[in-house]
Amino acid sequence: MIIENSASSSNKKLLGFDVKTLTTNCRAINVFKAIFAVLPIALALPVDALQVKVTPINPKLGDTLSVEINLDNPENGTNPTVASGKNTYPAFEIAPNQYRAFVPTTPLETAGNRTLRIAGDGQVQNLAVNVLNRKFPVQRITLPPGKAGVDATEYELKRVAAFKALQTPEKYWNGVFLKPNAGRMSTNYGVRRYYNGTFAKDYYHRGLDYAGATGSPVIAPADGRVALVGRVSQGFRIHGNVVGIDHGQGVTSIFMHLSRINVKEGDFVKAGQLIGAVGSTGAATGPHLHWGLYVNGQSIDPKPWQTKVVN
């Protein structure tokens, strides 16, 4: 009854043509229409100006996240950045108004959703990325006397850390990365290890091992500049005779346990060029090549780089 009466009263007002009220309402409605007609365009501008693409679509631990960013109006030549957790990664220009940043993932991280914070063109965009879990095998290693318990020298650690931290703006590599040695792969990326019965906490195998014969050639998997050459005689106890190649834009390769080194620091090498030979120097149980591929200082799985072109 109350609802019906209220409706009747409303109808009477409407049928009485309260012109003043009706005119005022119409004007207000037209103003709101004008505002909302403009809003979709204004709200769409940031989305159009900052376009982001993340690959691979279904990444797993150990993969490299490639974050491509298109900017309509780059500000004062300032490149965009991508942040994940406490780390911020630079984005480098790969085409006019197009930038790309690499975000590494490792076996020591927790799988699941993570937020990428992309900043550029005076805008900030947050993207949720789900990194899938991945099981890594466990391996037991017995080091012979003289090899077990060997610590790296301070000089060795500083040189290697400085090398892995390189973020050269130029991109040197082109196409897929080649296999650096013809030997069979003896140890995959990400393997967890026990050394002489003790589990190596916070350790995972940071690269691929190739069981090549002593003296067999080691080649550069991609173009780059030799940024590290170290020898046992200089204090490289763990790495042994080592070569490091800077491929540019935060991507570096390291080659360990070499018996011979055929390049010097500063050399620019091409994919397939001889850089050294397989050996067993440093902390090695036998002749093999250890190849580690690093992105922004973190060891990532090299295999996807051997099968898919990252331009």
Side-chain angles (χ1 to χ4, degrees), residues 86-229:
K86 298 180 180 180
N87 298 314
T88 300
Y89 305 99
F92 298 101
E93 189 170 16
I94 56 176
N97 295 347
Q98 185 177 2
Y99 301 80
R100 194 251 333 280
F102 288 131
V103 177
T105 70
T106 76
L108 300 183
E109 298 175 21
T110 302
N113 285 327
R114 64 191 63 195
T115 300
L116 300 182
R117 187 175 184 270
I118 299 97
D121 266 356
Q123 305 168 57
V124 175
Q125 187 175 133
N126 291 321
L127 289 179
V129 177
N130 183 37
V131 179
L132 303 176
N133 199 7
R134 178 179 172 187
K135 291 184 178 181
F136 296 95
V138 174
Q139 190 178 57
R140 296 179 181 273
I141 297 292
T142 300
L143 294 173
K147 298 283 187 178
V150 175
D151 293 326
T153 63
E154 185 177 352
Y155 174 75
E156 177 182 12
L157 292 175
K158 286 183 177 180
R159 288 296 312 278
V160 172
F163 165 71
K164 293 175 181 176
L166 291 174
Q167 293 177 329
T168 306
E170 291 80 14
K171 172 182 173 292
Y172 298 134
W173 81 91
N174 182 31
V176 297
F177 280 52
L178 305 176
K179 184 178 178 181
N181 180 258
R184 66 174 178 84
M185 190 181 301
S186 55
T187 307
N188 278 310
Y189 168 86
V191 173
R192 309 305 300 274
R193 280 180 173 172
Y194 284 84
Y195 282 102
N196 292 2
T198 302
F199 183 69
K201 185 180 179 181
D202 296 332
Y203 169 88
Y204 65 95
H205 189 239
R206 290 165 166 80
L208 303 175
D209 282 354
Y210 293 90
T214 299
S216 61
V218 175
I219 64 169
D223 293 3
R225 190 171 301 281
V226 178
L228 172 67
V229 169

